[in-house]
Amino acid sequence: MSTIIYPSPIFGPVHSRRLGISLGINLMPRDGKVCTFDCIYCECGYNADRRPHTSRPTRAEVKTALEKQLADMATQNQLPDVLTFAGNGEPTSHPDFKGIVEDTVSLRNKYCPKAKVSVLSNATLIERPDVFEALKMVDNNILKLDTVNLDYIKTVNRPTGKYNLEALIEKMKQFEGHCIIQTMFMHGTMNGQDVSNLSDDYIAPWLKTVAEINPRQVMIYTIDRETPDQELRKASHEELDNIVERLKTNGIDATASY
């Protein structure tokens, strides 16, 4: 199992399938994973196998490292398209997340005003007022919603703490369109149990809920890198394209990454 652990606090730039040239901001420890989900498809591996031995970077450390990287990129005339909060776990779980977002927006404005600030979040902590306010500040507030089937979420996303799906969906609606829904579609089994979410039993209620959330965009994708569970398989181009067309028929902008 050769899953990925990202450096901290800054990594890349990397080419993102969905976002372009992306400079990554990892608010988790540099040697392990800290996440409120434990997804069976996570490119960083399972939480239990990636226990960190170092601490999260501080707000000051993130700001210093980000400014140095942006200054270096500016001198090379190779500025990023996007500054992306991602990495080894859930970025909104950092205790200074809102302050770090404020610093990042300020540095973006100084060095690369055309770049977007993005957050890849599993949405588990959006009920926290500071997290909600911080996500309203960024350009691309990208929230995971793989399904609206709670049993599937417990099997595949595997929340590590209290998880109230209905409450989180209601909170997503409160962004009033200032969010992007991100959904993983895949085939496969785990311990003999089917974990495909490509049947209409999953897609139809998900489409209904997405329409109620009314996001600015939906990004659907499938497995791209090695996963900790070895029995997972990619969705096909045709399957993803069909979902995109159904979203667009409902008036929702959508893209697929294969």
Side-chain angles (χ1 to χ4, degrees):
M1 181 177 67
S2 57
T3 48
I4 300 168
I5 290 295
Y6 291 93
S8 179
I10 307 300
F11 63 93
V14 298
H15 187 272
S16 165
R17 290 183 293 168
R18 297 177 292 280
L19 302 172
I21 302 302
S22 172
L23 184 64
I25 304 171
N26 174 27
L27 303 186
M28 298 303 111
R30 66 180 182 273
D31 64 341
K33 181 185 173 191
V34 179
C35 197
T36 52
F37 270 178
D38 193 16
C39 298
I40 65 173
Y41 59 75
C42 181
E43 66 185 20
C44 295
Y46 290 133
N47 293 354
D49 297 330
R50 300 294 189 183
R51 300 291 186 197
H53 301 285
T54 59
S55 301
R56 292 181 174 99
T58 66
R59 175 180 177 179
E61 288 170 340
V62 175
K63 182 178 181 180
T64 297
L66 179 58
E67 181 155 29
K68 181 181 184 303
Q69 181 69 28
L70 289 177
D72 289 346
M73 294 177 75
T75 62
Q76 299 170 28
N77 197 29
Q78 293 182 340
L79 290 167
D81 299 312
V82 62
L83 308 175
T84 306
F85 286 88
N88 307 333
E90 174 53 35
T92 66
S93 67
H94 193 290
D96 285 326
F97 177 68
K98 184 181 178 184
I100 293 171
V101 168
E102 291 171 344
D103 294 340
T104 300
V105 170
S106 177
L107 290 171
R108 182 274 309 273
N109 294 344
K110 178 179 178 180
Y111 289 98
C112 48
K114 293 183 180 180
K116 304 295 186 183
V117 177
S118 299
V119 177
L120 300 178
S121 172
N122 62 27
T124 54
L125 302 177
I126 60 174
E127 290 186 289
R128 293 183 180 178
D130 59 329
V131 170
F132 185 81
E133 292 167 10
L135 290 174
K136 290 181 72 174
M137 295 168 55
V138 304
D139 301 290
N140 298 319
N141 168 27
I142 304 172
L143 304 176
K144 174 169 288 299
L145 186 66
D146 286 345
T147 179
V148 293
N149 182 304
L150 185 57
D151 288 337
Y152 185 93
I153 290 170
K154 289 179 178 178
T155 299
V156 172
N157 300 129
R158 306 197 303 177
T160 60
K162 178 183 176 183
Y163 186 84
N164 186 324
L165 177 60
E166 291 76 15
L168 293 179
I169 290 170
E170 289 304 311
K171 197 66 178 179
M172 289 181 189
K173 296 176 185 178
Q174 292 179 30
F175 283 110
E176 298 179 333
H178 183 69
C179 67
I180 296 170
I181 297 299
Q182 182 191 66
T183 302
M184 163 71 81
F185 286 103
M186 64 181 185
H187 292 288
T189 60
M190 179 182 182
N191 299 325
Q193 181 177 349
D194 184 9
V195 291
S196 169
N197 59 341
L198 283 152
S199 72
D200 207 51
D201 289 341
Y202 289 104
I203 294 173
W206 172 84
L207 286 169
K208 179 177 183 295
T209 300
V210 168
E212 293 170 354
I213 295 169
N214 191 30
R216 173 165 58 85
Q217 185 183 14
V218 174
M219 295 176 173
I220 66 172
Y221 68 121
T222 191
I223 295 165
D224 184 49
R225 299 188 176 99
E226 187 171 358
T227 60
D229 189 291
Q230 300 295 303
E231 299 177 343
L232 308 179
R233 307 189 312 278
K234 293 171 72 78
S236 70
H237 287 211
E238 293 77 14
E239 287 169 323
L240 295 185
D241 288 343
N242 178 260
I243 297 169
V244 166
E245 287 306 311
R246 293 176 71 174
L247 286 161
K248 289 182 175 179
T249 298
N250 289 338
I252 299 170
D253 183 33
T255 61
S257 297
Y258 309 107

